[in-house]
Amino acid sequence: METKNAVTLLAALAQDTRLAIYRLLVQQGPEGLAVGQIGGRLAVANATLSFHLKELSHAGLIQARQEGRFIYYSANYEQMNGLLGFLTENCCRGEACMPASNISPCDGACS
């Protein structure tokens, strides 16, 4: 990943509503949520939600799919994994890093 792309991704997440949307979609897994469900869960007005979904989509952090009348959004895990790799590629002075513990971030709650 190039620095310019990383900055674009980080800028897209550097806003409260967009970060909340992204975190919600990560929790939902690959199936994602319909636009109305996202707005309802986060109490975001439709026009505001549309703007933020567009920003996240343009950055490549989320992807949309249409099913009938509904548009579903889901997190683009590959893009986020690329960003995390970019941010940590030079950690530990190039040595292999040892995790602080063997407990996953989900603490066993993730499927």
Side-chain angles (χ1 to χ4, degrees):
M1 176 174 291
E2 295 185 21
T3 301
K4 183 177 180 178
N5 191 24
V7 169
T8 299
L9 297 174
L10 292 168
L13 292 171
Q15 198 281 338
D16 291 345
T17 303
R18 288 194 293 272
L19 184 57
I21 292 167
Y22 186 78
R23 292 186 73 200
L24 175 65
L25 292 175
V26 165
Q27 292 170 3
Q28 292 305 304
E31 67 277 356
L33 285 172
V35 173
Q37 293 173 307
I38 297 168
R41 290 196 187 179
L42 298 177
V44 177
N46 286 342
T48 303
L49 181 62
S50 177
F51 170 78
H52 290 304
L53 289 170
K54 180 186 74 150
E55 292 295 310
L56 289 168
S57 183
H58 281 280
L61 287 165
I62 63 173
Q63 48 210 7
R65 75 177 190 285
Q66 187 154 358
E67 290 184 15
R69 304 179 326 171
F70 300 99
I71 298 174
Y72 289 81
Y73 283 92
S74 58
N76 182 344
Y77 297 100
E78 184 177 327
Q79 186 77 292
M80 181 52 72
N81 287 337
L83 176 61
L84 292 173
F86 173 82
L87 293 173
T88 60
E89 71 184 340
N90 294 317
C91 76
C92 303
R93 298 183 189 148
E95 302 291 324
C97 295
M98 299 302 293
S101 70
N102 291 333
I103 300 174
S104 76
C106 295
D107 197 25
C110 298
S111 54

XYZ file of all heavy atoms in Angstrom:
828
model
N 0.851 -1.174 0.000
C 0.000 0.000 0.000
C 0.894 1.234 0.000
O 1.899 1.276 0.694
C -0.892 -0.011 1.236
C -1.762 1.222 1.370
S -2.953 1.162 2.713
C -4.064 -0.083 2.126
N 0.502 2.207 -0.770
C 1.234 3.458 -0.823
C 0.728 4.414 0.245
O -0.425 4.323 0.691
C 1.087 4.085 -2.206
C 1.739 3.252 -3.303
C 1.692 3.923 -4.649
O 1.531 5.166 -4.710
O 1.832 3.210 -5.648
N 1.592 5.340 0.635
C 1.260 6.301 1.681
C 0.005 7.095 1.334
O -0.855 7.306 2.189
C 2.450 7.252 1.920
O 3.579 6.472 2.306
C 2.135 8.274 2.992
N -0.122 7.503 0.092
C -1.294 8.304 -0.320
C -2.594 7.531 -0.079
O -3.578 8.096 0.401
C -1.166 8.694 -1.796
C -2.274 9.579 -2.285
C -2.051 10.000 -3.726
C -3.207 10.886 -4.168
N -3.032 11.376 -5.523
N -2.601 6.247 -0.394
C -3.785 5.421 -0.168
C -4.075 5.275 1.326
O -5.224 5.345 1.759
C -3.611 4.054 -0.827
C -4.891 3.259 -0.850
O -5.986 3.795 -0.796
N -4.747 1.954 -0.920
N -3.036 5.075 2.131
C -3.210 4.952 3.576
C -3.806 6.229 4.158
O -4.701 6.174 5.012
C -1.882 4.631 4.245
N -3.333 7.370 3.697
C -3.854 8.651 4.182
C -5.334 8.790 3.825
O -6.147 9.248 4.636
C -3.021 9.825 3.625
C -3.694 11.162 3.883
C -1.629 9.807 4.234
N -5.714 8.369 2.636
C -7.121 8.422 2.211
C -7.993 7.563 3.121
O -9.068 7.988 3.551
C -7.261 7.955 0.750
O -6.512 8.829 -0.090
C -8.712 7.932 0.302
N -7.535 6.358 3.424
C -8.295 5.464 4.299
C -8.411 6.026 5.703
O -9.496 6.015 6.309
C -7.642 4.079 4.339
C -7.583 3.319 3.020
C -6.784 2.033 3.184
C -8.974 3.034 2.506
N -7.318 6.508 6.234
C -7.333 7.071 7.585
C -8.219 8.316 7.654
O -8.957 8.504 8.627
C -5.912 7.387 8.053
C -5.028 6.164 8.289
C -3.574 6.580 8.467
C -5.524 5.363 9.483
N -8.177 9.144 6.618
C -9.022 10.345 6.582
C -10.498 9.975 6.553
O -11.324 10.625 7.197
C -8.657 11.207 5.373
N -10.842 8.910 5.830
C -12.241 8.479 5.765
C -12.741 8.025 7.131
O -13.913 8.199 7.460
C -12.406 7.365 4.743
N -11.868 7.463 7.929
C -12.261 6.974 9.256
C -12.154 8.047 10.335
O -12.621 7.839 11.462
C -11.392 5.776 9.649
C -11.612 4.518 8.829
C -10.536 3.487 9.159
C -13.004 3.952 9.067
N -11.572 9.179 10.005
C -11.319 10.226 10.991
C -12.534 11.128 11.197
O -12.428 12.355 11.229
C -10.100 11.045 10.586
N -13.684 10.525 11.361
C -14.929 11.254 11.601
C -15.830 10.321 12.404
O -15.919 9.123 12.088
C -15.550 11.643 10.251
C -16.583 12.727 10.294
C -17.947 12.227 10.746
O -18.249 11.044 10.646
N -18.756 13.139 11.249
N -16.483 10.844 13.425
C -17.255 10.027 14.363
C -18.278 9.111 13.696
O -18.321 7.918 13.975
C -17.995 10.908 15.384
C -17.058 11.606 16.350
O -15.879 11.210 16.441
O -17.512 12.552 17.020
N -19.102 9.667 12.827
C -20.173 8.875 12.213
C -19.609 7.807 11.296
O -20.048 6.652 11.324
C -21.151 9.781 11.447
O -21.671 10.765 12.355
C -22.296 8.979 10.844
N -18.618 8.162 10.491
C -18.031 7.170 9.585
C -17.329 6.060 10.360
O -17.438 4.888 9.985
C -17.070 7.838 8.597
C -17.801 8.652 7.544
C -16.924 9.027 6.384
N -15.870 9.957 6.711
C -15.997 11.280 6.685
N -17.152 11.833 6.353
N -14.979 12.054 6.984
N -16.662 6.404 11.425
C -16.018 5.378 12.239
C -17.067 4.460 12.867
O -16.905 3.235 12.872
C -15.148 6.017 13.322
C -14.339 5.056 14.191
C -13.420 4.176 13.349
C -13.544 5.843 15.226
N -18.164 5.020 13.331
C -19.250 4.208 13.906
C -19.858 3.286 12.855
O -20.135 2.116 13.132
C -20.321 5.114 14.515
N -20.059 3.792 11.652
C -20.608 2.971 10.562
C -19.653 1.823 10.258
O -20.074 0.668 10.159
C -20.845 3.820 9.285
C -21.978 4.815 9.512
C -21.132 2.919 8.084
C -22.077 5.889 8.427
N -18.373 2.137 10.122
C -17.407 1.100 9.783
C -17.345 0.038 10.871
O -17.364 -1.161 10.582
C -16.011 1.702 9.531
C -15.060 0.651 9.042
C -15.103 0.227 7.721
C -14.171 0.030 9.902
C -14.266 -0.778 7.265
C -13.329 -0.976 9.455
C -13.381 -1.373 8.141
O -12.566 -2.377 7.700
N -17.313 0.446 12.117
C -17.242 -0.517 13.224
C -18.494 -1.400 13.259
O -18.413 -2.597 13.513
C -17.052 0.214 14.544
C -15.674 0.881 14.622
C -15.401 1.489 15.954
N -15.150 0.358 16.867
C -15.250 0.448 18.178
N -15.622 1.581 18.737
N -14.994 -0.590 18.937
N -19.654 -0.812 12.997
C -20.896 -1.585 12.955
C -20.830 -2.628 11.845
O -21.192 -3.795 12.052
C -22.092 -0.651 12.745
C -23.456 -1.317 12.570
C -23.864 -2.059 13.853
C -24.498 -0.276 12.199
N -20.345 -2.233 10.675
C -20.270 -3.167 9.554
C -19.246 -4.270 9.802
O -19.460 -5.413 9.398
C -19.975 -2.414 8.257
C -21.108 -1.509 7.774
C -20.677 -0.719 6.549
C -22.367 -2.304 7.499
N -18.163 -3.954 10.475
C -17.180 -4.982 10.824
C -17.829 -6.022 11.731
O -17.653 -7.225 11.545
C -15.934 -4.360 11.501
C -15.079 -5.414 12.182
C -15.109 -3.599 10.481
N -18.622 -5.569 12.683
C -19.303 -6.475 13.607
C -20.311 -7.368 12.896
O -20.542 -8.499 13.312
C -20.027 -5.683 14.699
C -19.098 -4.967 15.646
C -19.844 -4.004 16.563
O -21.067 -3.918 16.527
N -19.100 -3.269 17.351
N -20.890 -6.891 11.817
C -21.923 -7.646 11.105
C -21.358 -8.749 10.229
O -22.075 -9.648 9.813
C -22.781 -6.712 10.245
C -23.639 -5.784 11.047
C -24.516 -6.544 12.023
O -25.282 -7.417 11.638
N -24.395 -6.232 13.303
N -20.091 -8.668 9.913
C -19.494 -9.696 9.074
C -19.757 -9.447 7.605
O -20.278 -8.401 7.209
N -19.424 -10.421 6.768
C -19.499 -10.248 5.315
C -20.903 -9.988 4.775
O -21.054 -9.407 3.709
C -18.967 -11.567 4.753
C -18.362 -12.293 5.881
C -18.869 -11.704 7.153
N -21.939 -10.417 5.482
C -23.300 -10.181 4.980
C -23.701 -8.719 5.063
O -24.538 -8.257 4.308
C -24.317 -11.061 5.706
C -24.514 -10.731 7.173
C -23.486 -11.362 8.104
O -22.627 -12.133 7.650
O -23.536 -11.047 9.299
N -23.113 -7.955 5.983
C -23.380 -6.525 6.081
C -24.785 -6.200 6.549
O -25.489 -7.047 7.100
N -25.184 -4.975 6.277
C -26.500 -4.474 6.678
C -27.099 -3.622 5.567
O -26.370 -2.969 4.818
C -26.385 -3.584 7.921
C -26.146 -4.243 9.268
C -25.869 -3.185 10.321
C -27.323 -5.096 9.664
N -28.424 -3.612 5.520
C -29.129 -2.716 4.602
C -28.975 -1.280 5.108
O -28.801 -1.047 6.303
C -30.607 -3.090 4.513
N -29.048 -0.341 4.198
C -28.883 1.066 4.540
C -29.830 1.475 5.669
O -29.415 2.130 6.620
C -29.111 1.957 3.297
C -29.102 3.427 3.667
C -28.056 1.670 2.242
N -31.080 1.085 5.587
C -32.048 1.446 6.618
C -31.685 0.896 7.988
O -31.915 1.549 9.008
N -31.112 -0.293 8.007
C -30.690 -0.887 9.278
C -29.521 -0.116 9.874
O -29.456 0.083 11.088
C -30.295 -2.351 9.077
C -31.457 -3.248 8.710
C -30.974 -4.644 8.350
O -30.099 -4.815 7.504
N -31.557 -5.641 8.998
N -28.611 0.311 9.037
C -27.466 1.094 9.518
C -27.970 2.394 10.140
O -27.597 2.752 11.261
C -26.473 1.391 8.375
C -25.887 0.096 7.820
C -25.366 2.324 8.857
C -25.117 0.269 6.518
N -28.819 3.093 9.406
C -29.363 4.357 9.901
C -30.142 4.189 11.192
O -30.029 4.995 12.112
N -30.933 3.121 11.277
C -31.715 2.867 12.472
C -30.860 2.552 13.683
O -31.113 3.051 14.784
N -29.860 1.753 13.492
C -28.991 1.361 14.619
C -28.143 2.511 15.129
O -27.825 2.580 16.311
C -28.105 0.196 14.243
C -28.887 -1.081 14.077
C -27.982 -2.258 14.079
N -28.714 -3.467 13.746
C -28.151 -4.647 13.649
N -26.860 -4.782 13.869
N -28.863 -5.700 13.332
N -27.769 3.401 14.227
C -26.907 4.512 14.630
C -27.650 5.836 14.780
O -27.034 6.836 15.117
C -25.761 4.670 13.621
C -24.822 3.472 13.492
C -23.785 3.728 12.405
C -24.141 3.175 14.819
N -28.943 5.822 14.524
C -29.775 7.032 14.609
C -29.183 8.170 13.766
O -28.971 9.279 14.243
C -29.960 7.463 16.064
N -28.940 7.852 12.494
C -28.379 8.820 11.554
C -29.418 9.094 10.475
O -30.008 8.160 9.922
C -27.072 8.274 10.911
C -26.527 9.240 9.886
C -26.040 7.981 11.980
N -29.645 10.364 10.190
C -30.610 10.760 9.158
C -30.164 10.237 7.794
O -28.967 10.099 7.525
C -30.732 12.278 9.121
N -31.134 9.963 6.931
C -30.852 9.364 5.621
C -29.849 10.161 4.786
O -28.935 9.590 4.194
C -32.142 9.174 4.822
C -32.969 8.034 5.358
O -32.480 7.182 6.091
N -34.245 8.026 5.002
N -30.022 11.491 4.714
C -29.118 12.309 3.898
C -27.699 12.265 4.454
O -26.727 12.144 3.700
C -29.616 13.754 3.832
N -27.583 12.336 5.760
C -26.268 12.274 6.405
C -25.644 10.903 6.198
O -24.455 10.783 5.870
C -26.403 12.570 7.916
O -27.010 13.849 8.078
C -25.069 12.537 8.617
N -26.443 9.862 6.361
C -25.962 8.494 6.185
C -25.462 8.278 4.771
O -24.391 7.712 4.559
C -27.075 7.503 6.521
C -26.713 6.034 6.406
C -25.591 5.665 7.368
C -27.943 5.181 6.678
N -26.202 8.748 3.797
C -25.824 8.605 2.401
C -24.461 9.243 2.139
O -23.602 8.667 1.464
C -26.890 9.231 1.507
O -26.509 9.162 0.165
N -24.251 10.429 2.677
C -22.982 11.130 2.505
C -21.830 10.306 3.080
O -20.798 10.119 2.432
C -23.036 12.502 3.180
C -21.703 13.179 3.259
C -21.157 13.804 2.146
C -20.975 13.183 4.444
C -19.914 14.418 2.218
C -19.737 13.792 4.521
C -19.204 14.415 3.402
N -21.999 9.806 4.294
C -20.926 9.064 4.954
C -20.665 7.708 4.294
O -19.514 7.291 4.168
C -21.232 8.900 6.441
C -21.144 10.188 7.196
N -20.017 10.971 7.209
C -22.055 10.826 7.966
C -20.234 12.043 7.956
N -21.462 11.975 8.418
N -21.718 7.032 3.848
C -21.535 5.769 3.134
C -20.764 5.993 1.836
O -19.901 5.200 1.476
C -22.887 5.113 2.852
C -23.608 4.528 4.060
C -25.031 4.128 3.686
C -22.842 3.353 4.648
N -21.068 7.090 1.166
C -20.355 7.429 -0.073
C -18.869 7.654 0.205
O -18.005 7.160 -0.522
C -20.968 8.667 -0.720
C -20.287 9.079 -2.025
C -20.831 10.380 -2.549
C -20.265 11.456 -1.661
N -20.035 12.746 -2.197
N -18.558 8.359 1.276
C -17.159 8.622 1.618
C -16.400 7.333 1.930
O -15.277 7.133 1.473
C -17.070 9.580 2.813
C -17.538 10.988 2.524
C -16.662 11.690 1.498
O -15.429 11.693 1.656
O -17.222 12.245 0.530
N -17.022 6.461 2.712
C -16.382 5.184 3.051
C -16.235 4.299 1.815
O -15.230 3.613 1.649
C -17.189 4.463 4.134
C -17.137 5.085 5.527
C -18.200 4.466 6.427
C -15.747 4.931 6.130
N -17.234 4.337 0.956
C -17.206 3.544 -0.266
C -16.122 4.037 -1.217
O -15.374 3.238 -1.792
C -18.579 3.591 -0.932
O -18.611 2.781 -2.059
N -16.013 5.350 -1.384
C -14.985 5.917 -2.260
C -13.584 5.595 -1.759
O -12.666 5.421 -2.559
C -15.162 7.433 -2.415
C -16.234 7.810 -3.377
N -16.054 7.818 -4.741
C -17.515 8.174 -3.174
C -17.181 8.177 -5.336
N -18.087 8.393 -4.409
N -13.426 5.510 -0.450
C -12.121 5.149 0.113
C -11.840 3.658 -0.042
O -10.704 3.222 0.106
C -12.070 5.538 1.590
N -12.870 2.877 -0.342
C -12.699 1.437 -0.503
C -12.808 0.659 0.789
O -12.476 -0.523 0.833
N -13.278 1.315 1.849
C -13.396 0.639 3.142
C -14.660 -0.206 3.248
O -14.721 -1.128 4.057
C -13.363 1.661 4.278
C -11.991 2.270 4.531
C -12.104 3.513 5.391
C -11.077 1.236 5.173
N -15.667 0.130 2.456
C -16.906 -0.648 2.452
C -17.287 -0.927 1.010
O -16.831 -0.250 0.083
C -18.063 0.058 3.199
C -18.444 1.375 2.525
C -17.715 0.265 4.666
C -19.681 2.041 3.122
N -18.143 -1.939 0.836
C -18.628 -2.265 -0.504
C -20.139 -2.458 -0.445
O -20.675 -2.864 0.577
C -17.919 -3.504 -1.035
C -17.870 -4.637 -0.065
C -16.637 -5.501 -0.245
O -15.743 -5.186 -1.014
N -16.578 -6.597 0.480
N -20.777 -2.134 -1.540
C -22.231 -2.215 -1.620
C -22.649 -3.342 -2.546
O -21.940 -3.673 -3.495
C -22.797 -0.897 -2.125
N -23.805 -3.914 -2.237
C -24.422 -4.868 -3.150
C -25.927 -4.632 -3.087
O -26.462 -4.292 -2.043
C -24.059 -6.306 -2.793
C -24.763 -6.862 -1.602
C -24.405 -8.338 -1.352
N -25.265 -8.896 -0.344
C -25.178 -8.660 0.954
N -24.244 -7.853 1.421
N -26.012 -9.201 1.802
N -26.568 -4.793 -4.212
C -28.011 -4.592 -4.269
C -28.717 -5.932 -4.299
O -28.325 -6.834 -5.042
C -28.386 -3.765 -5.494
C -29.853 -3.392 -5.482
C -30.119 -2.130 -6.265
O -29.216 -1.512 -6.796
N -31.375 -1.751 -6.329
N -29.732 -6.046 -3.477
C -30.605 -7.220 -3.461
C -32.037 -6.706 -3.517
O -32.545 -6.182 -2.530
C -30.381 -8.060 -2.200
C -29.056 -8.773 -2.177
C -28.893 -9.690 -0.965
O -29.910 -9.994 -0.292
O -27.761 -10.087 -0.694
N -32.633 -6.848 -4.679
C -33.991 -6.321 -4.855
C -33.985 -4.806 -4.718
O -33.210 -4.120 -5.361
N -34.839 -4.319 -3.838
C -34.933 -2.867 -3.621
C -33.907 -2.358 -2.624
O -33.790 -1.164 -2.428
C -36.307 -2.499 -3.082
C -37.460 -2.932 -3.918
C -38.776 -2.550 -3.283
N -38.700 -2.614 -1.826
C -39.633 -2.171 -1.006
N -40.720 -1.651 -1.470
N -39.489 -2.261 0.294
N -33.198 -3.240 -1.971
C -32.328 -2.846 -0.869
C -30.855 -2.854 -1.267
O -30.416 -3.705 -2.039
C -32.525 -3.772 0.331
C -33.929 -3.754 0.854
C -34.819 -4.753 0.510
C -34.361 -2.724 1.673
C -36.119 -4.740 0.978
C -35.662 -2.698 2.144
C -36.547 -3.703 1.797
N -30.108 -1.915 -0.704
C -28.663 -1.866 -0.864
C -28.055 -2.251 0.478
O -28.399 -1.689 1.509
C -28.175 -0.474 -1.295
C -28.774 -0.112 -2.653
C -26.653 -0.423 -1.341
C -28.472 1.288 -3.108
N -27.172 -3.230 0.415
C -26.480 -3.711 1.616
C -25.030 -3.273 1.549
O -24.400 -3.341 0.486
C -26.533 -5.238 1.701
C -27.897 -5.762 2.030
C -28.875 -5.901 1.044
C -28.234 -6.109 3.334
C -30.138 -6.375 1.348
C -29.495 -6.597 3.649
C -30.438 -6.717 2.641
O -31.690 -7.181 2.945
N -24.505 -2.828 2.674
C -23.099 -2.457 2.770
C -22.395 -3.412 3.711
O -22.958 -3.853 4.709
C -22.942 -1.019 3.290
C -23.222 0.016 2.245
C -24.494 0.544 2.083
C -22.211 0.479 1.401
C -24.756 1.496 1.114
C -22.470 1.428 0.427
C -23.743 1.940 0.294
O -23.995 2.880 -0.672
N -21.154 -3.721 3.377
C -20.328 -4.563 4.238
C -18.912 -4.004 4.250
O -18.503 -3.276 3.343
C -20.329 -6.009 3.748
O -19.855 -6.079 2.428
N -18.184 -4.343 5.301
C -16.803 -3.890 5.433
C -15.928 -4.596 4.406
O -16.129 -5.766 4.106
C -16.300 -4.168 6.843
N -14.967 -3.883 3.884
C -13.977 -4.462 2.985
C -12.768 -4.837 3.847
O -11.882 -4.027 4.087
C -13.587 -3.458 1.899
C -12.598 -4.030 0.910
O -11.964 -5.042 1.157
N -12.457 -3.355 -0.221
N -12.756 -6.060 4.334
C -11.716 -6.516 5.248
C -10.338 -6.520 4.587
O -9.332 -6.242 5.232
C -12.048 -7.915 5.779
C -13.312 -7.935 6.598
C -14.512 -8.370 6.050
C -13.311 -7.505 7.913
C -15.679 -8.379 6.792
C -14.477 -7.511 8.669
C -15.653 -7.947 8.108
O -16.801 -7.945 8.850
N -10.291 -6.827 3.315
C -9.013 -6.865 2.602
C -8.353 -5.490 2.626
O -7.144 -5.363 2.856
C -9.232 -7.340 1.169
C -7.950 -7.504 0.387
C -8.192 -8.040 -1.019
O -9.136 -8.829 -1.214
O -7.429 -7.650 -1.909
N -9.158 -4.452 2.404
C -8.623 -3.081 2.413
C -8.098 -2.717 3.808
O -7.021 -2.151 3.950
C -9.710 -2.100 1.962
C -9.230 -0.685 1.807
C -8.435 -0.460 0.543
O -7.331 -0.976 0.392
N -8.979 0.310 -0.363
N -8.868 -3.046 4.848
C -8.432 -2.720 6.204
C -7.196 -3.527 6.577
O -6.287 -3.008 7.210
C -9.550 -2.979 7.205
C -9.149 -2.632 8.648
S -8.458 -0.976 8.915
C -9.897 0.039 8.727
N -7.141 -4.797 6.188
C -5.953 -5.601 6.466
C -4.720 -5.010 5.781
O -3.621 -5.025 6.343
C -6.160 -7.052 6.052
C -7.090 -7.778 6.990
O -7.261 -7.401 8.141
N -7.716 -8.834 6.498
N -4.907 -4.485 4.584
C -3.807 -3.822 3.893
C -3.331 -2.589 4.644
O -2.126 -2.343 4.760
N -4.281 -1.818 5.163
C -3.932 -0.625 5.941
C -3.199 -1.011 7.220
O -2.173 -0.427 7.560
C -5.183 0.192 6.264
C -4.968 1.425 7.152
C -4.017 2.425 6.482
C -6.310 2.072 7.484
N -3.702 -2.011 7.911
C -3.049 -2.451 9.146
C -1.645 -2.974 8.860
O -0.712 -2.709 9.628
C -3.893 -3.520 9.841
C -5.224 -3.031 10.402
C -6.048 -4.210 10.913
C -5.026 -1.994 11.480
N -1.485 -3.687 7.767
C -0.169 -4.165 7.377
C 0.782 -3.013 7.088
O 1.946 -3.026 7.501
N 0.277 -1.997 6.394
C 1.081 -0.815 6.091
C 1.512 -0.116 7.374
O 2.666 0.288 7.519
C 0.280 0.147 5.205
C 0.959 1.467 4.982
C 1.952 1.595 4.014
C 0.615 2.579 5.732
C 2.588 2.815 3.810
C 1.238 3.799 5.534
C 2.233 3.916 4.572
N 0.580 0.026 8.314
C 0.880 0.731 9.560
C 1.868 -0.019 10.447
O 2.590 0.594 11.228
C -0.407 1.000 10.341
C -1.389 1.974 9.700
C -2.689 2.009 10.482
C -0.775 3.371 9.591
N 1.897 -1.337 10.316
C 2.740 -2.131 11.216
C 3.919 -2.800 10.526
O 4.656 -3.541 11.180
C 1.894 -3.206 11.926
O 1.305 -4.066 10.951
C 0.814 -2.583 12.788
N 4.148 -2.530 9.249
C 5.181 -3.255 8.520
C 6.589 -3.027 9.058
O 7.466 -3.863 8.861
C 5.120 -2.957 7.029
C 5.556 -1.563 6.634
C 5.372 -1.311 5.155
O 5.268 -2.275 4.379
O 5.307 -0.139 4.778
N 6.823 -1.949 9.734
C 8.154 -1.681 10.265
C 8.190 -1.741 11.791
O 9.084 -1.187 12.413
C 8.645 -0.307 9.787
C 8.858 -0.298 8.287
O 9.399 -1.244 7.734
N 8.403 0.744 7.632
N 7.235 -2.439 12.373
C 7.212 -2.529 13.831
C 8.366 -3.398 14.324
O 8.927 -4.198 13.574
C 5.878 -3.066 14.330
S 5.641 -4.830 14.113
N 8.724 -3.239 15.557
C 9.740 -4.070 16.214
C 11.083 -4.046 15.480
O 11.799 -5.051 15.444
C 9.246 -5.504 16.375
S 7.711 -5.623 17.298
N 11.390 -2.925 14.823
C 12.666 -2.740 14.124
C 12.953 -3.848 13.113
O 14.072 -4.311 12.950
C 13.799 -2.642 15.129
C 13.661 -1.472 16.043
C 14.845 -1.399 16.966
N 14.557 -0.393 17.965
C 14.991 -0.451 19.197
N 15.736 -1.465 19.593
N 14.694 0.493 20.044
N 11.908 -4.349 12.495
C 12.064 -5.376 11.491
C 12.155 -6.786 12.034
O 12.237 -7.734 11.274
N 12.135 -6.940 13.357
C 12.173 -8.251 13.985
C 10.760 -8.817 14.059
O 9.778 -8.078 13.987
C 12.750 -8.147 15.404
C 14.136 -7.554 15.476
C 15.196 -8.463 14.882
O 15.076 -9.696 15.039
O 16.122 -7.938 14.243
N 10.642 -10.117 14.253
C 9.327 -10.726 14.439
C 8.737 -10.220 15.756
O 9.413 -10.209 16.781
C 9.450 -12.248 14.471
N 7.510 -9.766 15.708
C 6.849 -9.245 16.904
C 6.098 -10.369 17.611
O 5.460 -11.201 16.971
C 5.860 -8.151 16.535
S 6.661 -6.696 15.826
N 6.165 -10.371 18.875
C 5.444 -11.359 19.676
C 4.193 -10.700 20.237
O 4.285 -9.604 20.793
C 6.320 -11.863 20.832
C 7.592 -12.560 20.364
S 7.301 -13.966 19.288
C 6.520 -15.084 20.394
N 3.045 -11.319 20.087
C 1.823 -10.730 20.642
C 1.897 -10.667 22.161
O 2.542 -11.507 22.797
C 0.714 -11.677 20.184
C 1.405 -12.932 19.809
C 2.822 -12.599 19.452
N 1.231 -9.655 22.743
C 1.221 -9.472 24.194
C 0.551 -10.646 24.889
O 0.889 -11.003 25.995
C 0.530 -8.169 24.553
N -0.433 -11.228 24.226
C -1.122 -12.387 24.784
C -1.723 -13.200 23.652
O -1.745 -12.766 22.515
C -2.220 -11.951 25.758
O -3.273 -11.340 25.045
N -2.208 -14.361 23.980
C -2.834 -15.209 22.968
C -4.334 -14.997 22.882
O -5.011 -15.731 22.199
C -2.534 -16.684 23.266
C -1.079 -16.996 23.039
O -0.426 -16.349 22.242
N -0.562 -17.980 23.744
N -4.876 -14.008 23.583
C -6.310 -13.734 23.570
C -6.623 -12.892 22.344
O -5.967 -11.894 22.087
C -6.744 -12.995 24.851
C -6.437 -13.854 26.071
C -8.219 -12.624 24.786
C -6.687 -13.154 27.388
N -7.628 -13.327 21.596
C -8.013 -12.562 20.404
C -8.750 -11.306 20.822
O -9.300 -11.232 21.914
C -8.906 -13.425 19.503
O -10.196 -13.498 20.029
N -8.771 -10.272 19.964
C -9.496 -9.038 20.273
C -10.970 -9.272 20.576
O -11.588 -8.532 21.305
C -9.320 -8.188 19.029
C -8.167 -8.769 18.307
C -8.104 -10.215 18.684
N -11.529 -10.329 20.012
C -12.947 -10.623 20.245
C -13.145 -11.423 21.532
O -14.270 -11.652 21.946
C -13.533 -11.407 19.076
S -13.559 -10.458 17.551
N -12.069 -11.892 22.141
C -12.119 -12.675 23.378
C -13.060 -13.865 23.258
O -13.844 -14.138 24.149
C -12.501 -11.782 24.555
C -12.160 -12.437 25.879
O -11.251 -13.301 25.927
O -12.809 -12.107 26.873
N -13.027 -14.517 22.113
C -13.840 -15.710 21.898
C -15.266 -15.435 21.477
O -16.021 -16.367 21.207
N -15.680 -14.169 21.432
C -17.059 -13.826 21.081
C -17.301 -13.809 19.585
O -18.426 -13.809 19.138
C -17.436 -12.494 21.694
N -16.241 -13.749 18.791
C -16.406 -13.698 17.334
C -16.668 -15.093 16.781
O -16.156 -16.071 17.287
C -15.141 -13.135 16.690
S -14.772 -11.457 17.178
N -17.415 -15.114 15.717
C -17.678 -16.412 15.089
C -16.712 -16.675 13.986
O -16.036 -15.876 13.503
C -19.103 -16.457 14.564
O -19.361 -15.366 13.724
